[in-house]
Amino acid sequence: MLRLRDDQWERIREHLPEEHIADGRVGRKPVPARAVLEAVLWILNTGAQWHMLPQCYPNYKTVHRRFQQWCERKVLRDILMANTLREEGDIDERESFIDATFASAKGGGDGIGKTRRGKGVTILAIVDRHGLPLSVSTHAAHHHEVTLVQLSFDFYMLEAKPEHLIGDRAYDSDGLDDDLKQDGVNMIAPHRSTRKLKTQDGRHLRRYQRRWLVERFFAWLQWKRRLLVRWEYYASNFLGFVQLASITMLLKQF
């Protein structure tokens, strides 16, 4: 049975609203938010269907309903934005790394794109120098990664943008470089083989050697079996699982 430690729960409990049931109302008693969160974590880790939730947790219908409410109200996003996840340790955002991964979608719903690999979604992430998440977002898979970079900053957890943003060849774009320079961000990416005019300095490209940090982040994500395939009809629910996985990483780190 999956349980949160007391110190972990204390750092996020203020952001998870308790269910309010009027006094004197006949019916079931309210289910504590901690019990609901632990049940959702079990679903996230195992990838099981909701009705397979063990009896040691609350009723799966209650857990699913509360999780959807959190996603609609952006509760999990607020937890990521809160300083309570970072006050005991510093996130090194001097240089950040960006990359994306593909998750197939077996069902229908919004925010799903068609690609050569089939229907799916793109999970886009920006991590710091320690491989800890600074931004996580999900998008339809048919969008090119270059067009999603600016959107990823809408989910950025810090006020100041990174000084250096390092990505692979998919982010080699003059238009993207110009847009990021206006925000004070230096985009570092190896040149495509078809590029004629070289714009990257070899000294800056040395930072590219540490891009394995974002690859390790996605390896951590893939331990959460619910993220391997998108079964959720609503894009906000799948994004909620991605955000919850990032929260667990920060709780374990700090």
Side-chain angles (χ1 to χ4, degrees):
M1 186 175 182
L2 183 61
R3 295 296 187 190
L4 287 173
R5 297 199 312 267
D6 291 339
D7 61 316
Q8 293 176 336
W9 170 246
E10 290 298 327
R11 292 167 59 189
I12 61 176
R13 66 179 303 174
E14 61 179 304
H15 301 282
L16 294 170
E18 295 290 349
E19 189 176 27
H20 176 71
I21 296 180
D23 295 337
R25 177 181 172 182
V26 179
R28 62 176 180 81
K29 297 181 180 180
V31 179
R34 181 174 182 174
V36 174
L37 179 60
E38 291 172 344
V40 176
L41 287 174
W42 186 88
I43 295 291
L44 173 65
N45 288 342
T46 63
Q49 299 178 13
W50 288 100
H51 71 271
M52 298 176 64
L53 196 66
Q55 294 184 355
C56 57
Y57 294 108
N59 183 272
Y60 77 92
K61 293 182 180 179
T62 300
V63 175
H64 186 220
R65 174 176 54 82
R66 295 278 293 278
F67 175 69
Q68 284 188 313
Q69 291 175 353
W70 292 346
C71 295
E72 292 172 358
R73 300 169 185 174
K74 300 181 180 180
V75 172
L76 300 174
R77 179 179 177 177
D78 292 340
I79 294 177
L80 281 176
M81 298 292 184
N83 292 328
T84 54
L85 289 178
R86 295 183 289 270
E87 62 185 3
E88 298 180 13
D90 294 329
I91 288 184
D92 191 349
E93 74 280 3
R94 289 174 297 175
E95 59 179 20
S96 301
F97 304 86
I98 186 171
D99 202 1
T101 188
F102 175 83
S104 62
K106 298 301 183 182
D110 57 339
I112 295 177
K114 293 183 178 180
T115 67
R116 294 179 180 178
R117 300 174 61 181
K119 297 188 303 180
V121 296
T122 296
I123 303 176
L124 187 67
I126 300 177
V127 303
D128 72 343
R129 200 171 184 178
H130 301 303
L132 298 176
L134 294 175
S135 171
V136 288
S137 57
T138 59
H139 312 272
H142 63 273
H143 296 295
H144 195 279
E145 295 177 26
V146 170
T147 63
L148 302 176
V149 175
Q150 292 288 5
L151 294 177
S152 67
F153 284 113
D154 294 339
F155 299 86
Y156 205 63
M157 303 175 194
L158 303 178
E159 295 182 3
K161 293 183 178 180
E163 181 179 353
H164 302 286
L165 184 63
I166 298 97
D168 57 17
R169 286 182 174 85
Y171 301 93
D172 180 24
S173 168
D174 291 335
L176 177 62
D177 293 344
D178 295 338
D179 292 341
L180 292 179
K181 282 182 180 179
Q182 296 179 3
D183 297 329
V185 180
N186 178 30
M187 184 71 216
I188 301 175
H191 293 308
R192 298 174 185 265
S193 59
T194 57
R195 174 180 282 275
K196 296 181 180 180
L197 180 62
K198 306 298 183 181
T199 60
Q200 288 289 351
D201 189 336
R203 292 171 296 179
H204 287 172
L205 284 175
R206 295 174 186 172
R207 301 176 184 269
Y208 183 77
Q209 298 176 357
R210 293 186 288 273
R211 204 186 67 85
W212 60 270
L213 291 166
V214 69
E215 300 288 354
R216 184 183 65 179
F217 169 78
F218 283 118
W220 286 344
L221 276 188
Q222 290 175 355
W223 279 97
K224 311 298 183 182
R225 301 189 63 178
R226 190 72 180 193
L227 303 181
L228 297 179
V229 177
R230 174 182 157 175
W231 297 100
E232 284 67 37
Y233 183 84
Y234 297 105
S236 59
N237 289 0
F238 185 73
L239 176 60
F241 276 122
V242 176
Q243 292 171 337
L244 184 57
S246 300
I247 291 172
T248 59
M249 292 181 193
L250 292 172
L251 287 176
K252 291 180 180 179
Q253 181 68 23
F254 299 131

